[in-house]
Amino acid sequence: MMKTETLNATYQKCIDKCIECAQVCEYCAHACLNEPDPKAMARCIRLDRDCAEICRLAAQFMIRESEYAIEVCELCAKICKSCADECAKHPVDHCKRCEDVCNCCADECNEMAR
């Protein structure tokens, strides 16, 4: 087995979680904009967008086996956790789903960073 295949296999679970999290965060941000009071959801929307971006970046860094992938995963875990904590404050289904997925992604990124 080639080195690339071994590393990608090591990263694959985390890559998959990051991609899923980016998608769920984008959906959550969009759904927050359609809530009755989107201004009350402003921090959630900002964190959803930040989380989606860092998740995509983390996945890209792992896919290309960047020497900085671990550091990006550490930051990704931190932002995912912040997003999950904010989503936990809102009693709507899309935020609850986002909270769950962000917590899973944070756990996976923390595991990758170890």
Side-chain angles (χ1 to χ4, degrees):
M1 188 180 287
M2 295 173 32
K3 180 183 176 203
T4 300
E5 291 170 357
T6 303
L7 284 175
N8 283 339
T10 301
Y11 289 144
Q12 194 59 55
K13 187 174 177 187
C14 193
I15 291 167
D16 292 344
K17 286 290 180 191
C18 285
I19 291 169
E20 177 189 16
C21 191
Q23 292 171 334
V24 171
C25 285
E26 287 291 353
Y27 177 78
C28 187
H30 172 75
C32 285
L33 288 169
N34 292 311
E35 288 296 323
D37 185 9
K39 285 185 179 182
M41 308 296 282
R43 185 162 190 267
C44 190
I45 294 165
R46 283 192 300 271
L47 284 169
D48 283 335
R49 296 186 72 216
D50 286 351
C51 191
E53 287 293 322
I54 194 66
C55 285
R56 282 190 288 270
L57 183 66
Q60 291 169 350
F61 271 51
M62 287 182 281
I63 289 165
R64 67 176 176 249
E65 301 170 10
S66 169
E67 64 186 279
Y68 298 104
I70 299 304
E71 289 86 351
V72 174
C73 283
E74 289 171 343
L75 180 58
C76 187
K78 181 178 178 180
I79 293 172
C80 284
K81 183 64 177 136
S82 292
C83 189
D85 290 348
E86 180 61 28
C87 282
K89 298 175 184 177
H90 305 286
V92 291
D93 289 343
H94 58 86
C95 284
K96 293 302 174 198
R97 167 102 172 104
C98 193
E99 175 191 3
D100 291 343
V101 172
C102 284
N103 277 325
C104 287
C105 190
D107 290 346
E108 194 62 41
C109 283
N110 278 326
E111 186 64 32
M112 180 56 60
R114 283 189 195 101

